[in-house]
Structures are given as C-alpha cells and as structure tokens.
Amino acid sequence: MTVLLALPVLLPLLGAALSLLLGRRPDLQRVIGTTVLSVVVAIASVLVYVTDTEGPVVLQLGGYAAPFGITLIADRLAALLLLVSAVVTLAVLVFSIGQRITDYGREIASTTFQPAYLVLCAGVSLAYITGDLFNLFVAFEIMLSASYVLITRRTSARRVRAGMTYVIVSLTSSLLFITLIALVYAATGTINLADLSVAFRDLSPGVQTSIALLATVVFGIKAALVPLHFWLPDSYPTAPAPITAVFAGLLTKVGVYALIRTHTLVFQNDAVWNVLLVVSILTMVVGVLGAIAQEDINRLLSFLLVSHIGFMLFGLGMATVVGVTGAILYVVHHITVQAALFLVSGLLTRRTGTVSLREMSGVAKSAPLIAALFAVPALNLAGIPPFSGFIAKITLFRAGAESATVLAYTATAAAVLTSFLTLYAMTRVWVGAFWGAKREPFPDDDPTDELTVGTGLTNRPMVFATSVLVLTGVAIALAAGPLAAMSERAAEDLLGGDQYRSVVLTEGED
C-alpha cells in the first residue's frame, strides 16, 4: 500500500515525459494523459478507503527515517482531496482534448499543453501527500512552473500582461515561502511537519505568532485571500476555459489545504485564529461585491472564487471540530463546482463569441443543455438546498452559532450575506446570458487565443466532461452523510494531531 502513495506523483511525471517525446503523435498523447489520470483516480479511491478504515499511509522515501528523510503521508484529508482533484483533472483533460479536436482536428498535436498539464497534476498530488515544508515548497514550484507555461500559451499582449502579474506575485510568494522555511529551521532544527508540531511548542509565544502569521501570508497569497487576491481576477480570465477551470478548481485550494494542514498541526495560535476569521469576513464580502460589479462572466466567476475561499477560511478560523469539518466539506464541494462553472463558461463563450453579459442573450433557447449545465452548479455555489453547497454552509453556520463570540457571529452574518449576493450574481448571469431573444455569435477578434471563438461548435467530450463535473457536485450532495462523517473524523485528526505525529515518527524509528 505504501508504494501506491508515490504513484500519483510519479505517473503524471512519467506521462509528461512520454507525451513530450510523442509530441507528433496526438492520438498517443491523448491515450497517455487519460490513462495516467484514470489510474490516479483509482489509486486515490483506494487511499480514501484505506485511510478511513485503517489510518494514515506513510512512505519514507529512500528508507531514511523521519524527520531526516522525505516523508509522504496520506491521511483522510489528503486522500479525499487527492481523489476529488484527480476527478477534476481527468474531466478537464477530456474537455481540452475535445476542444482541440473541434478546433484543429485530430491530427494536429500540441507539444506543450499535455506535458505541462501532467506536470501540474503531479505538483498538486505532491502538495497533498508531502510530510515536510520543503517538499511542500517543491510541490508549489512544480505547479507554478507548469502554470507559467499553460497561462502563456498562444500568447497575446493581454495575456503577457496578465502572465507577468501572475509570475511576479508567484515569485514573491515563493521567496516568502523559502524565507519561512529558513526561519522555521533556524528556530526548531526541523521542517518535518510531524516533528515540527512538537518542536514548535517550545518556542516563545512571540516567535510562534510571528512565524504563524508569515505562514498565513505565504499560503494566503496562493489561496487568494483578501487583500492578497488582486492578481487572480486579472490572471485567470485570460486563459482558455480548461486551464482556467483547473486553476480555479485546484491551485487556490492547494493554498487552502496548506493553511488547514499547517495551522491545525503546527501553527495553532489563538491570535492567528482571530486573524483568519477577520480575513475570512473581508474575503467573503470584498470578493462577492467585486463579482456583482462585473460584466465579464469570467471575471465575475473569478471574484466569486475569491469570495468563497472565505468560507473555507471561516471554518478553519473557528478552530473547532465542527468548523474544520465545514471547511473540508466546502473545499470538496467548491473544487468541483468552480471547475464546472468555468467549463460551462467556456461552452457559453463558444456559443456567443463574447464574455460580456451585456452582449449575450437567449442561450437557453439555442442551447438548453448548456443552460441546464450552468443552472445546477450555480444553485450549488449559492448554497440552495439540497445541493452540497447548502450542506457545507449549514455546517459552517452551526460552527459559528456554537462559538458564541462576536467575531464568530460576524463571520456567520457575512457568510449569509455572501450567499445571498452570490445568488444575485448567478441570477444576473442567467438573466443576461440565457434569457431573452437568441443572438448570432459575435465574430472572434483573435482566432489564435483559444478564448472566445464564437463558432458555437462543441463536441461530445466537451459536454460530457462538463456534465461529469456537474454530476459530481450532485453526487457529493447525495453522499452527504458518509462524506460529512468522514470529514468530521478528518477534522478530529487534524485538531488532535496525535495520530499524524505517531504514525510518521514511529514509522521513522522503524
């Protein structure tokens, strides 16, 4: 079982190398990519079952004992997010394959997209299962290196500007991250998370708070927390739909995962919990207000992405089992829903030839399936029962009510307000894009950018992949009972930390 733990990282890297070598064989590239990610989905499913029934799975690479060697570990949280992320990456890859076949035919290969995409998937997997801060840094760098390639493909002046912002912010975050690692190692002599969770307690309160706040800034940039979010609404909308979908679904959630992992296991601090609650309020409110001011559908969805990161931070900041349970449920729900909405946006802009809500009209009449594929995740994101968004939000509201503090009540009120404003934003999209008289698609201003082709052409893989993500969101709601129970057990493990420490350090002694 421990051997399986390395495969979600190794297989995509090997697949990326093979795809690069077979750059002139698009048929083989497609088979390699879909096969690799299908195997990762299967492995993640096994890990979810094993971690929930038998406990965490640990692999000490090279046989070197923790805390000196490289530790890979999958517990309930890591395995669950690995599974959901693998499903999303597979669906997005199928969508992108369908889009490329529709636009360029079956025989024209892309030498950069699939290798870079598989490298990105390897980085996401490593971030979930790494057991030390330095390899978490490595995972982020793998993701960022691949994302630089993906976000600047088919370069235009607009995308170069957006890419520059993304690169500069990412490099700044990386610099702060390596500084954090240096400070942590200088203060404690270790960067293994299990060992660090013990050594960190011996530091003075001031040092603990300073390091914890620096970690919050580092991972807050990657998670796009307000006021560190400014780069996201300008960067994500410039990329093609599949790239935006996987960025929105996964990259910010890896930042949230890092916050949850480090702040429950290592950086537990009352002052930091309060800071997280304040930032969650700002993130929810500022993000949703930015969304309702947008006329560009992709920018609207990008601001909503920022806003709903605040819900996850709200649950984490409560620092209770119920709160962290709600945060986990919200991450799982949001990964699928946000990716699905960006894929639907890709279908919509292909149908209309524009991203402007003012220029769209009547899509419900011309493409009722696209309308249905939008309606379900839109209601899900707004938290309308009985969808998974409602279940996650109710858990968060319960955590806020049980806390009985002014700050918790304020965060709960902000979450309720954000939910109503999210519904309003989704209604604006529905009224602007789907109601009214049918319009002919606008001609494409730049046929080489893969953004708004306006042809109305889609194929079955594109619609199928989008439908899979929409139905996955529905399936999460149908499995709410078992999923909530598993999330609660994961939250107890996170806040306790004893099992994580025990299995890593005991394995290292063996």
Side-chain angles (χ1 to χ4, degrees), residues 10 12 94 97 175 196 210 255 272 308 363 377 396 441 454 457 462 480 488 490:
L10 290 179
V94 172
I97 290 172
L175 180 62
L196 184 59
S210 299
V272 176
H308 285 251
V363 178
L396 292 173
L457 295 178
M462 296 172 67
E488 184 174 358

Side-chain angles (χ1 to χ4, degrees), residues 478-501:
L478 294 176
L483 180 59
M486 182 180 179
S487 298
E488 184 174 358
R489 292 190 291 271
E492 291 171 351
D493 294 342
L494 288 167
L495 292 172
D498 292 336
Q499 185 185 42
Y500 187 99
R501 282 187 289 268

